[in-house]
Amino acid sequence: MTKPANHTLTWLKCLPETAPCAAKTPMETARAELDAAACAPKVELALEPSLGEGFRLEPQGEGYLLAGGETGVLYGAYRLLMACAAGDALPLGSHAPYYALRMLNCWDNADGTIERGYSGRSLFFEGGRFDYDPDRMRQLARMLASVGMNVLCINNVNVHENEHQLIEEAWLPQLAELAALFRPYGVRLMVSIDYAHPLRGGVPTADPLDARVAQWWKERADLVYSYVPDLAGFLVKADSEHRPGPFTYGRTHADGANMLAKALAPHGGTLVWRCFVYNCMQDWRDTVTDRPMAAYQHYAYLDGQFDGNVILQVKNGPFDFQVREPVSPLFYAMPKTNLALEVQLAQEYTGHQTDIYAMPPMWKEIFDDLPPSRVMAMAAVSNLGRDENYTGHPFAAVNLFAYGMTAWDPATDPAQVIRLWCRLTYSLPAQQEDALHALLMGSRRVYEKYTAPLGLCWMVEPHTHYGPSPMGYEYALWGTYHKANRDAVGIDRTSRGTGYAAQYPAEMAARYENRETCPELLLLFFHRMRYDDVMADGRTLIQRIYDDHFEGCDEAEEMARVLASLDLPPQDAQTAHERMVRQLRNAREWRDVTNTFFYRLSGVPDAKGRKIYD
Ligand code: GCU
């Protein structure tokens, strides 16, 4: 098994070299980290349980007093050490996380594979059983704690045969051992469960209103918590993409979630229930069903009916982690329900950790539209794996780092957090740091330009979701159509079309309804447009599509030049350059396939006479 090497440490490079192993509590970890750091000022720690996960740093004599709850002190210690390393002002004053749960969802399977994993095999499992390096686990725990994450769900939301054992007698002692490695860092484990698990345990039904089912889950939760008393809870994907759920029994998702939540409640556990529910068998001839409307239809009417320890986890957009989607309307429709915002660090649709794609600017757009008060937790699909550097592309670590910071404080400025990651990870001369920073800040827009035009979505290679395939999903079952013909493209989701826009509060709905006020980059998400329709800047739609694809590809070439000019550590440089070669190949493929696709349909040549294949 690969041991962590120094170049794998990404931003942890700024911390003392060896992770402290002997510490038993977050407070002891904080002390050990501060003592080991040569650069740290003198800091006295004070336990103030009322501060919980928050902390207060104030000058005291020659040094500082750092007060907080157990984990608060640890978070304070990391913030202080990172500020020292970056040459920033110390985080004086009081700080507390915005969201109570800051979760990382790993989609790891017991066989060692990772669903949508782009950085090697599972860190936790191999060959149908637990298999991990304890040192790497400690390093991972340290990474998570250093940016304030507090929950780690270790297995895929799609629960297969072997993972059932995570909550069965055979594997629970091992789950407890793993939990013990994360505990000194304030990280609690969570497991994904199979809603229909009682059927395997001798109960003839999984009907949430059947007393035998509720009893089975109660006993199961008691057993699990006897091994891992601080387990954060269960994560559930039900009635989604062929997973079992309450619909089988004619029950609602409130029935299902509350039944499970009641089993966890005596132990202080949380039931996280995903809202990624839609008909994944939609016939393409069905012109009435509009997939983005599904989650709202399934959940909005249930607002206020969920128990206090249930959190509904909603993907940021109504489709599925596309490059650009509007914020899910569900966030505005359930004011009486605990909601978690789910984002995806794994670059499933955003370049597979081969293409560079820094996410903070995208999250900022989400929070600009979504008052943070609407949600009380955040979850991110993990981008980690057994690759030496954890994230495949060394730059993909910026998304893990920034996610932690953003879940702690949704007002985190993307430019600042990316700058901090660059500085803590690499000691580059100022000009080079500026160049890397600009490259990362612009990377999302570049990827968007050479791939998805104006919020259209789903022109991607089916199944793998890397590379162009304009017609790949057009006659498939997934409800993801753009209906491009010789004159027009896009789905009309206004009141004249599917009516999706009306799922938003009136003011937002009106903004999306009207082509003049609809954000330009979402035009083809909400409107069906003719190729000769004129955009705000006077260009026709078809010209805009061509221009974006040529520009995006040119900008990717520029990114390659910038990358080549950076003095990165040799291992990172090699990995980044090797991936950039693939990114450029991908960008050219997207440009040419997409432009040719629209040219063949429309017959409209590029006004600038550039090469489009016929
Ligand atoms: C996407 C992804 C699946 C995943 C699903 C989910 O559809 O392609 O692999 O299981 O999301 O979020 O549950």
Side-chain angles (χ1 to χ4, degrees):
M1 202 172 302
T2 327
K3 289 272 174 198
N6 192 41
H7 75 264
T8 70
L9 289 174
T10 181
W11 72 90
L12 289 188
K13 282 177 190 138
C14 74
L15 297 178
E17 217 159 80
T18 7
C21 293
K24 293 270 180 303
T25 63
M27 183 92 173
E28 287 174 23
T29 307
R31 188 67 274 163
E33 290 278 18
L34 289 165
D35 289 349
C39 69
K42 195 167 155 291
V43 181
E44 189 188 320
L45 301 183
L47 190 63
E48 270 188 43
S50 64
L51 293 179
E53 291 192 307
F55 66 88
R56 194 180 66 250
L57 183 68
E58 56 194 51
Q60 175 182 273
E62 309 273 276
Y64 296 89
L65 175 75
L66 174 58
E70 267 282 355
T71 46
V73 166
L74 181 61
Y75 297 139
Y78 283 128
R79 287 302 162 105
L80 183 148
L81 289 172
M82 292 200 292
C84 288
D88 290 346
L90 296 186
L92 290 172
S94 296
H95 305 264
Y98 193 91
Y99 295 130
L101 296 183
R102 303 171 301 280
M103 306 180 273
L104 193 68
N105 291 178
C106 298
W107 285 359
D108 292 32
N109 302 312
D111 66 3
T113 58
I114 302 179
E115 179 145 350
R116 311 304 176 185
Y118 310 105
S119 40
R121 297 181 67 82
S122 169
L123 279 162
F124 314 112
F125 309 107
E126 192 51 77
R129 56 187 174 80
F130 272 110
D131 182 5
Y132 57 81
D133 173 356
D135 286 343
R136 273 205 114 174
M137 292 297 107
R138 281 187 205 98
Q139 198 182 78
L140 171 60
R142 195 181 188 213
M143 271 173 135
L144 303 185
S146 71
V147 289
M149 277 180 248
N150 63 1
V151 175
L152 175 69
C153 185
I154 58 170
N155 66 306
N156 191 356
V157 288
N158 298 311
V159 179
H160 308 106
E161 194 59 25
N162 275 320
E163 295 102 44
H164 286 100
Q165 299 179 77
L166 280 168
I167 56 167
E168 289 176 358
E169 202 82 62
W171 284 26
L172 279 169
Q174 297 167 73
L175 187 68
E177 276 171 33
L178 186 64
L181 293 176
F182 284 88
R183 199 165 286 129
Y185 295 86
V187 177
R188 293 190 296 153
L189 298 189
M190 179 174 274
V191 287
S192 299
I193 56 128
D194 170 10
Y195 176 79
H197 201 142
L199 295 176
R200 304 163 55 91
V203 183
T205 172
D207 181 347
L209 300 190
D210 188 304
R212 292 167 297 179
V213 176
Q215 183 61 22
W216 189 91
W217 278 111
K218 186 195 168 306
E219 286 165 16
R220 186 59 38 165
D222 292 348
L223 178 72
V224 172
Y225 277 86
S226 71
Y227 283 93
V228 188
D230 59 353
L231 190 82
F234 293 160
L235 174 62
V236 190
K237 171 176 177 176
D239 290 312
S240 165
E241 298 183 332
H242 311 294
R243 296 290 122 191
F247 288 166
T248 309
Y249 308 94
R251 310 298 186 194
T252 71
H253 278 204
D255 295 331
N258 290 341
M259 180 274 294
L260 286 165
K262 286 188 174 61
L264 296 174
H267 308 285
T270 300
L271 194 272
V272 183
W273 187 275
R274 296 177 82 235
C275 296
F276 184 55
V277 178
Y278 68 100
N279 175 12
C280 65
M281 302 290 284
Q282 185 184 330
D283 191 293
W284 63 271
R285 298 167 193 85
D286 169 358
T287 53
V288 177
T289 309
D290 186 20
R291 170 168 160 184
M293 298 176 79
Y296 181 102
Q297 289 162 342
H298 285 300
Y299 293 96
Y301 77 101
L302 294 173
D303 188 31
Q305 294 185 32
F306 291 90
D307 284 7
N309 63 330
V310 174
I311 297 181
L312 295 190
Q313 187 164 300
V314 183
K315 288 191 182 186
N316 62 273
F319 258 138
D320 187 10
F321 302 134
Q322 300 298 290
V323 175
R324 187 175 297 273
E325 298 182 41
V327 168
S328 169
L330 211 46
F331 288 113
Y332 306 91
M334 305 196 72
K336 292 186 258 160
T337 304
N338 301 326
L339 298 179
L341 167 67
E342 180 178 333
V343 296
Q344 191 185 42
L345 309 182
Q347 289 174 231
E348 176 178 355
Y349 295 96
T350 53
H352 282 204
Q353 286 145 245
T354 294
D355 299 28
I356 299 169
Y357 190 102
M359 299 180 179
M362 176 166 91
W363 301 331
K364 164 105 175 50
E365 288 163 6
I366 296 172
F367 285 118
D368 281 350
D369 268 348
L370 176 78
S373 60
R374 288 287 177 164
V375 287
M376 50 83 65
M378 210 169 160
V381 179
S382 162
N383 59 356
L384 299 168
R386 207 173 276 215
D387 277 3
E388 261 193 273
N389 65 8
Y390 288 97
T391 52
H393 198 303
F395 297 172
V398 74
N399 292 327
L400 185 72
F401 177 83
Y403 164 66
M405 295 292 210
T406 306
W408 176 281
D409 177 9
T412 295
D413 175 39
Q416 268 176 21
V417 77
I418 290 179
R419 170 76 65 183
L420 184 58
W421 179 83
C422 293
R423 188 157 298 171
L424 297 178
T425 306
Y426 301 119
S427 313
L428 294 171
Q431 243 183 340
Q432 291 194 25
E433 188 184 282
D434 287 350
L436 173 59
H437 182 254
L439 180 151
L440 292 172
M441 281 297 288
S443 58
R444 183 272 178 116
R445 191 64 196 113
V446 172
Y447 186 85
E448 178 176 28
K449 279 190 191 174
Y450 66 73
T451 59
L454 307 172
L456 196 56
C457 311
W458 299 110
M459 289 190 134
V460 71
E461 189 64 48
H463 311 302
T464 66
H465 301 162
Y466 188 79
S469 179
M471 294 295 278
Y473 275 111
E474 214 42 31
Y475 301 103
L477 292 171
W478 302 88
T480 48
Y481 316 115
H482 54 70
K483 300 190 179 171
N485 67 16
R486 64 182 184 172
D487 301 316
V489 62
I491 306 295
D492 184 351
R493 297 198 161 94
T494 69
S495 52
R496 296 169 298 280
T498 69
Y500 165 79
Q503 290 186 343
Y504 290 93
E507 207 182 302
M508 274 179 101
R511 180 152 57 98
Y512 292 138
E513 275 281 319
N514 185 335
R515 215 184 267 182
E516 269 64 56
T517 53
C518 179
E520 188 169 65
L521 294 174
L522 284 171
L523 270 175
L524 294 178
F525 190 98
F526 283 99
H527 297 274
R528 182 161 180 83
M529 290 177 65
R530 291 179 53 85
Y531 298 124
D532 55 6
D533 278 342
V534 179
M535 314 283 294
D537 66 3
R539 282 182 287 176
T540 58
L541 172 67
I542 190 81
Q543 191 56 40
R544 173 62 190 266
I545 292 174
Y546 294 153
D547 286 351
D548 272 12
H549 284 79
F550 282 114
E551 263 170 46
C553 208
D554 290 349
E555 287 166 8
E557 310 260 6
E558 178 55 23
M559 283 167 78
R561 281 189 286 277
V562 171
L563 182 67
S565 73
L566 302 177
D567 296 314
L568 298 174
Q571 187 73 44
D572 284 10
Q574 195 191 322
T575 311
H577 291 308
E578 173 264 322
R579 284 174 195 236
M580 181 48 91
V581 171
R582 288 193 267 148
Q583 172 163 5
L584 290 179
R585 205 183 304 137
N586 188 38
R588 290 180 198 125
E589 196 65 6
W590 270 101
R591 175 196 63 195
D592 291 340
V593 170
T594 313
N595 284 345
T596 294
F597 173 75
F598 282 111
Y599 173 63
R600 285 184 185 164
L601 277 180
S602 68
V604 180
D606 172 34
K608 296 179 186 158
R610 291 161 294 192
K611 178 75 186 166
I612 296 183
Y613 296 81
D614 51 21

